[in-house]
């Protein structure tokens, strides 16, 4: 075991050094790859793969974290009907976790309705990605298997399409034990693909060097938070591991609703009344503050008017265009509101060089969050 496994990264650390030369030897056998299914305009589907394991996902994923509470009461029947509407519209990949309230149970209800009421072709397209976020206890085979079986039962599937693993404490190297058991369960047919969420570059490298066939790492990534395009993207290019991003519209901050507003004055602007809005407002503060954020929104609005789409659509397309990004998350408030038309517009939007450069210019005016927070996922380990 490399000593890096026990070294916690300081969020206040200075910009990290270049990746070590040994990364050139860390490429997975067979590589992890992403291929895009060509359509008119940018691709809708990406296939992430490693060592013969592969999964085709919609490049815009339906994020179900809002079922965990804090966004309004969700009626289960209405939620399942909403999931069906997204799938019918071609938005067929759903991302959830063991701790997102009833998310896995809703998926189980939904997938059974698809089996009953939709053709086999749609059932084949639908993918359910879940996460396992255990406490940092001893990772025995039985403990890991019991938790994976619980998700399989809740989602009512024989095999999880993708299991994304999170680990809280890098000083405890038990994450390697857990991932080896997860890989064994994949070989036994209980999981189709192994992935990570919120791992940093150093730990991703260690995991790959230990032979774990990781296809993707889910990380926070937006125009404000470009940390994944630094060390993480370099490692991904060397190894073929892909990124799935969340926080891409910053809980709704990257929208017309917050353009030309001042949220620092009580009752003067839209309320920051969800956990996501509050979280990503802190990211804005760390990056450059509300004034610079307004400049970003004004730039995005100019691009959005040029293409006839909302600001959020531009924000997601910009991140989908970044290195190693296979897909980006857009949260769904199932049964409460829907944005199917605007989400589907992401696939037909093509940002030209002028668009991309104008957005990048404002993004770079903010602070480098790698210097302030640390690498991907370090915000959860401060």
């Amino acid at each position: 075991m490399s000593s890096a496994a026990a070294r916690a990264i300081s969020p206040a650390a200075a910009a990290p050094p270049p990746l070590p030369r040994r990364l050139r030897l860390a490429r997975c056998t067979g590589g992890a790859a992403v291929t895009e299914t060509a359509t008119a305009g940018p691709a809708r589907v990406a296939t992430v793969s490693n060592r013969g394991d592969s999964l085709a996902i919609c490049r815009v994923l339906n994020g179900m974290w809002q079922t965990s509470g804090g966004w309004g009461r969700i009626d289960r029947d209405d939620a399942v009907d909403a999931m069906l509407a997204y799938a019918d519209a071609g938005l067929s990949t759903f991302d959830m976790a063991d701790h997102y309230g009833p998310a896995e149970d809703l998926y189980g209800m939904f997938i059974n309705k698809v089996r009953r009421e939709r053709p086999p072709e749609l059932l084949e397209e639908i993918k359910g990605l879940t996460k396992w976020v255990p406490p940092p206890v001893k990772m025995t085979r039985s403990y890991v298997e019991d938790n994976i079986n619980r998700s399989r039962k809740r989602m009512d599937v024989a095999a999880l399409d993708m299991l994304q693993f999170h680990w809280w404490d890098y000083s405890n190297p038990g994450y390697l034990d857990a991932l080896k058991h997860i890989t064994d369960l994949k070989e036994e047919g209980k999981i189709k693909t192994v992935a990570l969420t919120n791992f940093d570059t150093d730990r991703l490298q260690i995991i790959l060097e230990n032979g774990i066939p990781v296809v993707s790492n889910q990380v926070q990534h937006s125009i404000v938070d470009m940390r994944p395009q630094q060390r993480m993207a370099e490692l991904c290019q060397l190894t073929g591991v892909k990124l799935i991003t969340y926080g891409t519209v910053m809980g709704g901050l990257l929208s017309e609703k917050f353009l030309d507003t001042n949220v620092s004055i009580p009752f003067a602007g839209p309320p920051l009344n969800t956990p996501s809005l509050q979280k990503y407002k802190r990211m804005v503060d760390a990056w450059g503050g509300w004034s610079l954020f307004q400049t970003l929104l004004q730039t995005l609005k100019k691009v959005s008017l040029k293409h006839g789409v909302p600001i959020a659509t531009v924000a997601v397309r910009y991140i989908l265009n970044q290195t190693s990004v296979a897909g980006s998350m857009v949260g769904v408030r199932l049964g409460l509101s829907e944005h199917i038309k605007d989400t589907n517009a992401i696939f037909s939007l093509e940002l030209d060089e002028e668009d991309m450069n104008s957005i990048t210019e404002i993004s770079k005016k903010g602070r480098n969050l790698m210097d302030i927070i640390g690498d991907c996922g370090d915000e959860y380990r401060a």
Side-chain angles (χ1 to χ4, degrees), residues 229-354:
Q229 291 304 310
Q230 299 185 48
R231 300 184 73 228
M232 182 64 68
E234 185 179 350
L235 178 58
C236 287
Q237 285 186 290
L238 287 167
T239 62
V241 172
K242 295 298 171 179
L243 301 175
I244 295 175
T245 75
Y246 66 89
T248 306
V249 296
M250 303 189 73
L253 284 179
L254 287 170
S255 68
E256 284 79 2
K257 181 177 181 180
F258 289 92
L259 177 64
D260 298 326
T261 64
N262 187 349
V263 297
S264 63
I265 302 175
F267 310 110
L272 301 175
N273 57 0
T274 70
S276 286
L277 285 171
Q278 294 159 17
K279 170 185 177 180
Y280 293 115
K281 172 56 166 59
R282 292 192 293 271
M283 287 290 166
V284 167
D285 293 341
W287 170 70
W290 197 251
S291 177
L292 181 59
F293 187 69
Q294 286 300 307
T295 302
L296 173 60
L297 286 178
Q298 290 159 8
T299 300
L300 291 172
K301 183 60 176 177
K302 181 179 178 181
V303 175
S304 76
L305 289 172
K306 172 181 171 181
H307 295 279
V309 297
I311 285 174
T313 299
V314 176
V316 176
R317 184 73 254 174
Y318 180 86
I319 295 301
L320 284 175
N321 289 354
Q322 301 301 311
T323 300
S324 296
V325 174
S328 292
M329 209 81 59
V330 175
V332 289
R333 300 180 67 181
L334 298 171
L336 299 176
S337 64
E338 62 90 4
H339 39 70
I340 290 173
K341 180 180 177 182
D342 291 341
T343 302
N344 265 326
I346 296 167
F347 298 112
S348 57
L349 175 60
E350 296 190 60
L351 299 178
D352 59 31
E353 185 176 358
E354 180 184 11

Side-chain angles (χ1 to χ4, degrees), residues 17 35 40 66 123 138 143 145 150 156 175 216 250-252 263-264 271 275 281 300 342:
T35 58
Q66 295 178 358
L123 180 62
K138 186 174 178 60
Y143 182 80
E145 186 170 15
R150 185 177 299 114
D156 199 11
Y175 63 88
S216 64
M250 303 189 73
V263 297
S264 63
K281 172 56 166 59
L300 291 172
D342 291 341

Side-chain angles (χ1 to χ4, degrees), residues 14-173:
L19 291 171
R21 182 177 176 82
R22 65 194 178 99
L23 280 180
R24 300 182 183 279
L25 304 177
R27 187 176 187 88
C28 305
T29 302
V34 59
T35 58
E36 296 182 356
T37 301
T39 59
R44 292 185 67 96
V45 175
T47 300
V48 293
S49 63
N50 194 333
R51 295 187 186 173
D53 304 330
S54 66
L55 191 71
I57 62 172
C58 181
R59 293 202 71 201
V60 179
L61 298 87
N62 304 312
M64 295 178 64
W65 64 84
Q66 295 178 358
T67 62
S68 60
W71 286 266
R73 182 182 176 276
I74 291 181
D75 178 89
R76 291 196 173 205
D77 290 335
D78 289 346
V80 170
D81 287 342
M83 293 174 74
L84 199 60
Y86 276 90
D88 285 339
L91 300 167
S92 55
T93 300
F94 296 84
D95 179 87
M96 66 211 84
D98 59 341
H99 63 290
Y100 288 1
E104 291 184 334
D105 299 300
L106 290 172
Y107 185 85
M109 296 168 63
F110 157 71
I111 204 67
N112 269 303
K113 191 164 187 175
V114 172
R115 289 166 181 154
R116 295 191 308 268
E117 301 180 6
R118 293 295 187 272
E121 292 79 12
L122 181 60
L123 180 62
E124 183 68 22
E125 290 178 10
I126 291 169
K127 301 298 187 299
L129 285 52
T130 195
K131 305 179 193 74
W132 183 37
V133 185
V137 298
K138 186 174 178 60
M139 292 289 115
T140 64
R141 161 71 189 227
S142 62
Y143 182 80
V144 174
E145 186 170 15
D146 286 349
N147 280 275
I148 300 311
N149 285 341
R150 185 177 299 114
S151 289
R152 291 170 60 225
K153 182 177 180 180
R154 293 178 69 190
M155 296 173 68
D156 199 11
V157 294
L160 302 176
D161 289 323
M162 179 184 286
L163 191 283
Q164 302 167 103
F165 177 71
H166 174 90
W167 190 251
W168 292 108
D169 181 10
Y170 291 147
S171 67
N172 179 344

Side-chain angles (χ1 to χ4, degrees), residues 159-193:
L160 302 176
D161 289 323
M162 179 184 286
L163 191 283
Q164 302 167 103
F165 177 71
H166 174 90
W167 190 251
W168 292 108
D169 181 10
Y170 291 147
S171 67
N172 179 344
Y175 63 88
L176 286 173
D177 296 326
L179 284 164
K180 287 172 182 176
H181 294 314
I182 288 168
T183 301
D184 288 342
L185 292 168
K186 177 191 69 68
E187 295 299 324
E188 294 169 18
K190 294 185 176 183
I191 299 166
K192 294 180 182 178
T193 54

